[in-house]
């Protein structure tokens, strides 16, 4: 009886950091959304085969990105050491690193190895000159167009506007659809227009420059698109509403993420075989830029076995791991080499064009207070789109709010 009681007490104490520490060193856990497609299960199975006695657990969380961020944050704040690995959105990196929740990976992931990955994904993994994340899944904004309607896709904002006016016939067919609702997707869409006008949110010294003339011109173009080349309802669109407008033949151009291409090619799609992709347009003399999305692995500061965690990261983010997740879950790989891989290109013939757009991807402002920065942009850009504020008013107010949050002056 005493032995049974002792064993029961030990089992209850495992999570509290006493009994069972040695066994816990051979368990790796990370939080991710449901494994639709089974790619993660296959990666874990192969890793465990090569590492007898090791167990990797994918803790399936909610589909909403911010909900999973909150779960990670709660775990780290409580010190419960639930997660050894951190599978994170690119915008979490500065916040998690600033809080001390991540191990720096500079010694394990030197610059020469980073060259194997897309440059934007690496840039988004760095905070204050240290790297905290190995990219796994890439993502970036694209401009989709109806290749059966548009012969030569636009490169500049004027060319995009002109093509829309030439071919559209509203309200049945509009020129341009994008994500205009007040949420993070609007920030991503606006940043591409902002960068294409030569503007930015913060300069290299962290000074807020969102109210610059370049930024005002960018918002003036985007707000001016609503009701002229974009449907008035675009101010309520998220990713799927804008995709439906494009895929159902109600828009000629679409700003969205790469997943749209596969959806557009599905059996029964009205635009199957009629879709092209290019980087977002820009002003003459400026460069096109895509807002970086994507996910990657970090190691939690409280990880019991960092060496084992790193071995899993190396396997999962290697060529074979990324090919598994691409084949089974449709994940877009973050390694350069896979965009010329014959097996992948055979299944995804648009990947060479996608690669060119991904090379132009830029991270959103890398700052621990990014959530507050994003909130200010969302509120005031949305207000400009529906005419409650002029572009000048919107960006003046957004810039002042961001300065207040960051504690900086004009």
């Amino acid at each position: 009886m005493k032995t049974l009681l002792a064993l029961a007490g030990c089992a209850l104490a495992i999570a509290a950091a006493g009994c069972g520490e040695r066994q816990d060193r051979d368990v790796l856990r990370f939080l991710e959304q449901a494994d639709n497609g089974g790619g993660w299960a296959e990666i874990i199975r192969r890793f465990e085969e090569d590492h007898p006695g090791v167990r990797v657990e994918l803790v399936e969380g909610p589909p909403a990105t911010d909900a999973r961020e909150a779960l990670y944050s709660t775990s780290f704040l409580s010190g419960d050491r639930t997660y050894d690995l951190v599978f994170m959105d690119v915008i979490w990196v500065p916040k998690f690193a600033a809080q001390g929740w991540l191990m720096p990976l500079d010694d394990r992931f030197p610059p020469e190895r980073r060259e194997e990955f897309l440059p934007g994904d690496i840039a988004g993994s760095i905070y204050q000159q240290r790297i905290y994340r190995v990219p796994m899944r890439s993502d970036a904004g694209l401009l989709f167009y109806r290749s059966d309607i548009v012969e030569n896709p636009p490169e500049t904002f004027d060319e995009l506007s002109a093509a829309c006016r030439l071919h559209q016939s509203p309200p049945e067919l509009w020129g341009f659809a994008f994500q205009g609702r007040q949420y993070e997707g609007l920030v991503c869409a606006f940043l591409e227009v902002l960068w294409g006008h030569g503007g930015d949110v913060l300069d290299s010294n962290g000074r807020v420059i969102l109210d610059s003339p370049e930024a005002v011109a960018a918002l003036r173009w985007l707000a001016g698109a609503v009701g002229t080349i974009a449907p008035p309802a675009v101010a309520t669109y998220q990713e799927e509403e804008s995709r439906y407008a494009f895929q159902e033949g109600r828009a000629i151009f679409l700003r969205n993420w790469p997943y749209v291409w596969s959806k557009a090619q599905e059996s029964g799609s009205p635009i199957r075989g009629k879709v092209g992709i290019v980087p977002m347009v820009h002003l003459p003399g400026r460069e096109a830029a895509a807002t970086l999305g994507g996910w990657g692995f970090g190691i939690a500061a409280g990880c019991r076995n960092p060496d084992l965690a790193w071995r899993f990261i190396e396997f999962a983010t290697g060529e074979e791991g990324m090919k598994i997740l691409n084949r089974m879950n449709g994940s877009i790989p973050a390694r350069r080499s896979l965009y010329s891989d014959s097996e992948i290109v055979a299944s995804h013939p648009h990947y060479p064009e996608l690669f060119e757009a991904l090379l132009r991807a830029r991270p959103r402002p890398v700052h621990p207070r990014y959530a507050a920065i994003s909130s200010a942009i969302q509120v005031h850009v949305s207000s400009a789109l529906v005419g409650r504020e002029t572009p000048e008013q919107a960006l003046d107010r957004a810039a002042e709010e961001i300065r207040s949050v960051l504690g900086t002056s004009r």
Side-chain angles (χ1 to χ4, degrees):
M1 176 63 77
K2 289 182 180 180
T3 300
L4 289 173
L5 289 172
L7 288 172
C10 179
L12 290 171
I14 284 176
C19 210
E21 179 71 19
R22 184 172 60 83
Q23 292 92 329
D24 280 356
R25 286 176 54 83
D26 297 328
V27 178
L28 300 173
R29 297 183 187 89
F30 67 98
L31 176 69
E32 164 63 321
Q33 63 182 323
D35 184 21
N36 297 320
W40 284 118
E42 179 63 14
I43 289 171
I44 290 169
R45 183 188 69 79
R46 294 194 189 190
F47 182 79
E48 289 178 344
E49 275 187 356
D50 293 339
H51 297 79
V54 173
R55 190 169 82 252
V56 180
E57 296 180 0
L58 186 161
V59 180
E60 292 193 347
T65 300
D66 56 351
R68 296 201 302 281
E69 180 188 9
L71 288 172
Y72 270 124
S73 298
T74 300
S75 173
F76 296 144
L77 285 167
S78 69
D80 67 5
R81 292 165 55 170
T82 298
Y83 304 113
D84 310 277
L85 296 159
V86 189
F87 192 64
M88 57 186 142
D89 189 342
V90 65
I91 63 173
W92 302 354
V93 174
K95 173 184 174 181
F96 283 19
Q99 292 285 346
W101 296 340
L102 302 173
M103 290 185 182
L105 303 177
D106 303 78
D107 292 341
R108 302 177 190 269
F109 192 33
E112 60 270 20
R113 294 191 61 186
R114 301 173 203 173
E115 292 296 321
E116 301 167 10
F117 296 80
L118 292 163
D121 289 284
I122 292 297
S125 302
I126 294 171
Y127 175 66
Q128 293 189 341
Q129 288 75 56
R130 307 202 75 176
I131 193 159
Y132 291 92
R133 190 187 77 138
V134 181
M136 175 77 184
R137 191 168 81 211
S138 193
D139 213 2
L142 298 170
L143 183 65
F144 296 84
Y145 68 96
R146 287 284 301 276
S147 57
D148 59 324
I149 297 175
V150 177
E151 184 176 355
N152 298 309
E155 296 184 9
T156 68
F157 289 101
D158 283 348
E159 290 174 358
L160 174 57
S161 296
C164 289
R165 290 190 172 94
L166 176 63
H167 297 292
Q168 70 181 9
S169 54
E172 291 81 13
L173 178 64
W174 285 92
F176 182 46
F178 63 95
Q179 297 77 57
R181 185 170 176 174
Q182 184 181 314
Y183 79 119
E184 183 65 22
L186 172 59
V187 178
C188 296
F190 171 65
L191 285 175
E192 291 168 0
V193 178
L194 175 64
W195 292 329
H197 278 78
D200 212 333
V201 179
L202 307 175
D203 67 12
S204 59
N205 296 315
R207 188 168 60 95
V208 179
I209 55 172
L210 186 58
D211 48 357
S212 68
E214 294 85 358
V216 171
L219 185 51
R220 190 177 292 129
W221 183 87
L222 191 63
V226 180
T228 59
I229 62 172
V234 77
T236 68
Y237 286 1
Q238 298 189 54
E239 279 83 0
E240 283 296 87
E241 290 87 354
S242 59
R243 177 179 73 83
Y244 292 144
F246 181 69
Q247 191 163 336
E248 292 169 359
R250 294 183 281 114
I252 301 165
F253 295 96
L254 167 69
R255 183 273 166 205
N256 211 316
W257 304 95
Y259 83 100
V260 170
W261 194 91
S262 298
K263 292 287 187 181
Q265 306 310 318
E266 290 177 350
S267 177
S269 168
I271 59 172
R272 184 177 184 182
K274 303 175 183 178
V275 177
I277 56 173
V278 289
M280 188 59 184
V281 294
H282 55 89
L283 284 183
R286 301 292 186 179
E287 294 185 357
T291 302
L292 177 72
W295 296 75
F297 276 110
I299 300 177
C303 178
R304 297 174 178 84
N305 194 335
D307 291 337
L308 181 62
W310 180 249
R311 288 200 294 274
F312 178 77
I313 290 174
E314 285 190 302
F315 178 76
T317 64
E319 288 192 354
E320 189 56 32
M322 287 193 192
K323 287 180 74 170
I324 291 170
L325 210 62
N326 172 266
R327 183 176 66 253
M328 300 182 71
N329 290 26
S331 173
I332 297 169
R335 283 185 170 270
R336 293 171 178 261
S337 61
L338 296 182
Y339 289 86
S340 57
D341 181 272
S342 57
E343 181 182 346
I344 286 183
V345 174
S347 301
H348 307 283
H350 66 298
Y351 266 31
E353 290 80 13
L354 174 59
F355 179 64
E356 292 302 316
L358 291 171
L359 288 176
R360 303 169 188 259
R362 293 175 56 174
R364 282 157 275 182
V366 180
H367 197 283
R369 301 297 307 275
Y370 173 73
I373 294 171
S374 173
S375 178
I377 295 172
Q378 290 177 37
V379 168
H380 294 288
V381 171
S382 173
S383 184
L385 294 190
V386 298
R388 285 196 299 266
E389 296 176 337
T390 67
E392 292 84 356
Q393 290 170 336
L395 294 180
D396 280 346
R397 292 165 183 170
E400 284 307 309
E401 287 179 17
I402 295 170
R403 291 185 183 107
S404 177
V405 166
L406 304 188
T408 59
S409 58
R410 183 180 290 274

